[in-house]
Amino acid sequence: MTLSVLMPVFALMTSLLASVVLFALPEKGHRLRTIINLAAAILKIALVGVMIWGVAQGREYEAAFTMVPGVEFVLRADALSMLFAGLSALLWLLTTIYAVGYLEDSPNRSRFFGFFSLCVASTMGIALAGNLFTFFLFYEMLTLSTYPLVVHRGTTKALRAGRNYIIYTLTGGAVLLFAIAWLHGLVGDLRFQEGGYFSDIDPSMQGPLTIIFVLMIVGLGVKAALVPFHGWLPQAMVAPAPVSALLHAVAVVKAGAFGIIRVVFEIYGLEAAKELGLLAGLSVVAAFTIIYGSTRALYQVDLKRRLAFSTVSQVSYIVLGLCLFGPVGVAGGLVHLVHQGIMKITLFFCAGNYAETLGVHRIDELDGAGKRMPGTSVAFTLGAFGMIGAPPLAGFITKWTMGSGALAVGMDWVVAVLVISSLLNAAYFLPILHRLWFAEQCEPWPHERRWGRLETSAWLLWPPLITAALMLVAGLIANLPFSPLSWAELIVAREVAL
């Protein structure tokens, strides 16, 4: 086998093999478990980095074999897959560091990190999937590997949230499987390819293709938390903070959004999707989800639930960007896959720090926390302003690019959606920042812990500081080569062919 065949396999196997070893470790093997976790994460970043460089130079990485006649298992690295794989690899390392500190005194750590690595393997498989069949295998593997993480604490509330999660996601998976099987019966096994397959649509195929598209969006929209399929996400916030970060920034919601990108770009093609009138309906759903999620966030008093409804809103920026049908707007939607991940993981890291260090879960308990935990609070502040869209942070780049793209194609109403969303973001984030920095602490923290001279454990402090710095850097270097925005523009130029 050549290196071009082995690279995507190695990138997948790092976390898959790590999960097998981690399941077998005894609970007392804390140091060895940490070494395996970090070594696998660092190796994955190295492998993905090599493939990113190769893809930028025009190299191809693909491994494929026939599973049954007419159906292939395909792993392939292209510009679009590397956008998601790069985000997954980088944030997995930081989330692993965070999880090691967060779960330091918790039971069942080998089980947790085993499923944690299996979840990341599933996400990498989704990123590298070269056709719908391979994508679906890892899509369902992600559902099954994240369920034990959601119910990890074993409380009644966690089990209820896990049951709700599995009902939503397995139902969505069944709908997606039906759509894939129907499409396979019509046209056979379809690999993802630039421009899609339906540029010249047979009139007799328009009806079935429209229904199949809707079914695929429903199946993928469950994980992407499109309204009305979003109900599982706020309930899943009973999971530990590293799991919440994984669900919102790296794995589940991003898998749904990434699947929608693949279907629109590389199965149907933007031209065909527009000709069938599919993008107009999808843009309305995305816009409604953006406003609805932000509005619901306003009324949440639990910090993680407010962030969860914020995710419902923010992930739909990606979907809305796809519907702008212009190179600038599409690039804005694609780059938000990365920008939202960095910003949201920062916020969930910080929420976890407040919970672990001060015992704080409610927003009205955060008074004066900025003075007690300045590093965490600075990171949270940057994440909040990034979500609002303040320059020069990553969120500003997303909204500016999408707004410019919408105006370029005459979709002025999208700018109004972006402005309203930003105002709502400000309305539910600024009161939190006021409590952190300007309100005086009136009552003792619910459950305060001390870590020597640092405000919290170093394992918990460094990840949000690094991701906060990354969101600032992503905004400052947006026009430089290999920035997230430049890579999104490369995808538009190379694969979307607008």
Side-chain angles (χ1 to χ4, degrees):
M1 288 188 178
T2 63
L3 187 62
S4 62
V5 174
L6 292 174
M7 287 296 286
V9 177
F10 287 161
L12 177 64
M13 294 303 292
T14 50
S15 45
L16 196 59
L17 291 177
S19 69
V20 174
V21 176
L22 290 167
F23 278 127
L25 285 180
E27 279 299 304
K28 294 181 179 179
H30 176 66
R31 180 169 296 181
L32 180 58
R33 183 167 46 244
T34 300
I35 291 172
I36 292 171
N37 271 310
L38 295 179
I42 292 169
L43 179 58
K44 185 182 291 292
I45 287 179
L47 292 169
V48 171
V50 170
M51 287 193 291
I52 288 174
W53 179 261
V55 168
Q57 307 303 313
R59 297 194 184 117
E60 295 183 357
Y61 302 95
E62 182 178 303
F65 66 91
T66 300
M67 295 195 68
V68 295
V71 177
E72 284 190 305
F73 178 88
V74 184
L75 296 176
R76 188 186 70 203
D78 55 32
L80 182 54
S81 67
M82 287 297 96
L83 185 74
F84 190 26
L87 174 73
S88 175
L90 175 61
L91 296 189
W92 182 33
L93 173 61
L94 295 173
T95 309
T96 299
I97 293 170
Y98 187 86
V100 168
Y102 193 92
L103 297 164
E104 185 176 1
D105 300 320
S106 300
N108 302 314
R109 284 173 291 181
S110 290
R111 184 188 71 190
F112 176 91
F113 282 107
F115 281 112
F116 187 81
S117 294
L118 196 58
C119 172
V120 176
S122 306
T123 306
M124 188 60 60
I126 289 170
L128 296 173
N131 63 357
L132 281 171
F133 172 76
T134 310
F135 177 91
F136 180 78
L137 285 181
F138 287 108
Y139 192 76
E140 290 305 282
M141 182 175 159
L142 179 63
T143 296
L144 298 176
S145 60
T146 46
Y147 170 76
L149 299 177
V150 172
V151 302
H152 177 72
R153 289 194 170 120
T155 63
T156 301
K157 193 174 181 181
L159 292 173
R160 184 169 59 248
R163 183 173 63 250
N164 196 46
Y165 169 72
I166 207 75
I167 290 172
Y168 267 90
T169 52
L170 287 182
T171 302
V175 173
L176 179 61
L177 177 60
F178 177 76
I180 292 173
W182 188 358
L183 186 64
H184 186 275
L186 291 176
V187 296
D189 188 26
L190 297 181
R191 289 194 178 197
F192 298 129
Q193 73 168 20
E194 357 177 311
Y197 288 87
F198 304 114
S199 55
D200 297 317
I201 303 174
D202 186 332
S204 65
M205 294 277 286
Q206 289 186 3
L209 287 176
T210 299
I211 298 172
I212 290 170
F213 183 87
V214 172
L215 291 174
M216 285 187 171
I217 297 303
V218 169
L220 295 165
V222 172
K223 279 194 171 81
L226 291 176
V227 173
F229 313 115
H230 67 289
W232 64 271
L233 188 57
Q235 292 187 38
M237 292 306 94
V238 299
V243 179
S244 299
L246 201 68
L247 293 175
H248 288 257
V250 186
V252 178
V253 294
K254 290 299 172 58
F258 184 74
I260 293 173
I261 294 171
R262 284 291 202 192
V263 168
V264 172
F265 283 178
E266 298 184 334
I267 295 298
Y268 278 73
L270 278 173
E271 290 281 358
K274 184 182 181 183
E275 184 179 334
L276 290 169
L278 303 172
L279 294 184
L282 186 58
S283 66
V284 171
V285 172
F288 181 79
T289 302
I290 289 171
I291 303 302
Y292 175 85
S294 294
T295 303
R296 287 295 305 275
L298 278 170
Y299 297 98
Q300 307 305 313
V301 296
D302 182 88
L303 179 57
K304 286 177 68 177
R305 280 184 64 87
R306 182 168 292 193
L307 295 179
F309 277 106
S310 172
T311 297
V312 171
S313 172
Q314 288 284 329
V315 171
S316 282
Y317 278 72
I318 301 167
V319 180
L320 183 59
L322 309 184
C323 303
L324 297 180
F325 201 72
V328 178
V330 171
L334 287 174
V335 77
H336 198 58
L337 187 82
V338 176
H339 288 171
Q340 188 271 347
I342 297 171
M343 294 186 294
K344 187 49 62 76
I345 205 168
T346 303
L347 294 170
F348 271 106
F349 282 162
C350 294
N353 285 2
Y354 294 132
E356 280 297 289
T357 308
L358 306 177
V360 167
H361 299 275
R362 293 170 54 93
I363 293 166
D364 56 12
E365 297 172 332
L366 285 169
D367 292 355
K371 297 176 183 177
R372 168 63 177 82
M373 300 181 67
T376 297
S377 298
V378 166
F380 189 95
T381 301
L382 288 174
F385 277 117
M387 288 293 183
I388 293 168
L393 298 167
F396 169 76
I397 302 300
T398 291
K399 295 184 179 184
W400 180 268
T401 307
M402 286 183 61
S404 301
L407 292 174
V409 296
M411 296 176 67
D412 298 8
W413 64 270
V414 171
V415 177
V417 171
L418 296 175
V419 171
I420 293 170
S421 174
S422 293
L423 292 174
L424 289 171
N425 289 344
Y428 66 74
F429 273 122
L430 292 182
I432 300 176
L433 301 185
H434 180 269
R435 286 185 177 276
L436 287 175
W437 296 111
F438 301 107
E440 293 295 330
Q441 180 187 2
C442 298
E443 298 181 4
W445 310 115
H447 183 67
E448 186 175 6
R449 299 171 65 188
R450 291 284 179 179
W451 273 276
R453 291 178 297 176
L454 293 177
E455 64 189 59
T456 188
S457 165
W459 292 91
L460 302 180
L461 180 59
W462 281 108
L465 293 179
I466 293 171
T467 53
L470 287 175
M471 81 176 76
L472 177 60
V473 170
L476 292 173
I477 68 164
N479 288 323
L480 297 180
F482 280 92
S483 71
L485 180 60
S486 296
W487 194 262
E489 291 169 344
L490 172 68
I491 295 170
V492 172
R494 181 181 292 183
E495 297 199 17
V496 182
L498 285 170

